[in-house]
Amino acid sequence: MALPVPAPRAPLDGRRTNRRRRADGSPVARWYAEVLGWAAVDGPPVRLPTGLRFDVLDLPVAAGLAVLRRVRGDWPVAVEGRRMRVLVGAGTADELPGLLDWLEWGGVALDLAAWGAGCRMIAPAPPGWDAAGAPGAPVWLRPPDPDREVEATLAGLTETGATACAGLSGGSGLVRLVAVAAAECHRARLLAAARAGGAALG
C-alpha cells in the first residue's frame, strides 16, 4: 500500500537574472556570483546563503561517503573538516523533520541536520583554485557545474506515493537520499559508541 509523503514546499525564487554581471568583493565571492550566479556574502570567510537556490544536508564525513556510494546522484558535495555538506533542493530544511518521521526515524538521535533559509555555509575554494587556509577548510568533493543550473542537479521532495516507496530501494531523489543518510548516521553513531565502550574497557 502506498504511504503518503509530506507535501513538497515550493523553493524560494533565488535564481540569477544575469550570471555574468560584475560582482563586488573578494575573488572568491566574485567567482560564485559571476560564474555560478549564486548569492555570496563576502568575508572572510565568504559564505553562501542557503534557502535561496539550495539547502544543505550536514552530516559526518564517514556517513556521507557511505551515502555517496549507495545513492546515485550528481548533486554538489563539499567537505569541511569532519563534516560533509550535500546540496539539496531549496525547502528541504523545513521538510526534513516530517520526512524523518515518515521514514520512522523520528525521535532517533541522528547527527544529521539541514540548513535552509537564514543559514550560511562557508564557501569552498572554487574548483582548481589553491585551497589555502586553515586545516579542515571547506573544499568541493563534487563541485558544481558552471554550465548547468544547480537546481537541475539537486535531490528534492517531488516523489509521491508509490514512486517514493519504490525509491527507498533504489534510484535517487530526496526520499532515498534522506533514508540512506539517516541509516548511515545511525550506523556511525553506534560504531562510535562501540569504540568508546571498548576503549573504556581497555
Side-chain angles (χ1 to χ4, degrees):
M1 180 177 68
L3 299 176
V5 178
R9 287 172 55 94
L12 298 176
D13 186 8
R15 298 181 182 221
R16 58 184 172 278
T17 56
N18 183 359
R19 170 184 278 189
R20 303 301 176 184
R21 180 183 61 191
R22 182 70 178 172
D24 297 324
S26 68
V28 171
R30 289 200 303 271
W31 186 88
Y32 278 98
E34 295 173 5
V35 176
L36 294 182
W38 294 6
V41 180
D42 206 2
V46 175
R47 295 179 182 271
L48 305 174
T50 57
L52 299 177
R53 302 191 61 189
F54 56 82
D55 285 358
V56 169
L57 285 184
D58 172 72
L59 67 165
V61 166
L65 291 174
V67 170
L68 297 186
R69 289 192 295 269
R70 293 180 56 190
V71 183
R72 298 191 306 269
D74 55 1
W75 1 270
V77 177
V79 171
E80 181 180 354
R82 297 183 179 181
R83 308 296 300 181
M84 180 175 286
R85 311 278 155 71
V86 179
L87 272 58
V88 292
T92 296
D94 291 334
E95 303 298 340
L96 184 63
L99 184 53
L100 288 172
D101 283 343
W102 182 78
L103 291 167
E104 300 185 350
W105 285 105
V108 179
L110 298 171
D111 193 2
L112 174 65
W115 303 348
C119 298
R120 298 173 180 176
M121 68 174 279
I122 298 177
W129 290 36
D130 181 14
V139 295
W140 284 113
L141 181 64
R142 183 189 289 167
D145 183 351
D147 296 322
R148 187 177 183 188
E149 295 284 348
V150 69
E151 290 87 351
T153 69
L154 304 181
L157 191 54
T158 57
E159 303 93 339
T160 57
T163 302
C165 293
L168 292 176
S169 59
S172 57
L174 187 64
V175 172
R176 167 73 173 163
L177 177 60
V178 170
V180 174
E184 293 298 341
C185 286
H186 185 59
R187 184 195 310 272
R189 181 183 176 90
L190 293 177
L191 289 174
R195 286 194 295 267
L201 291 175

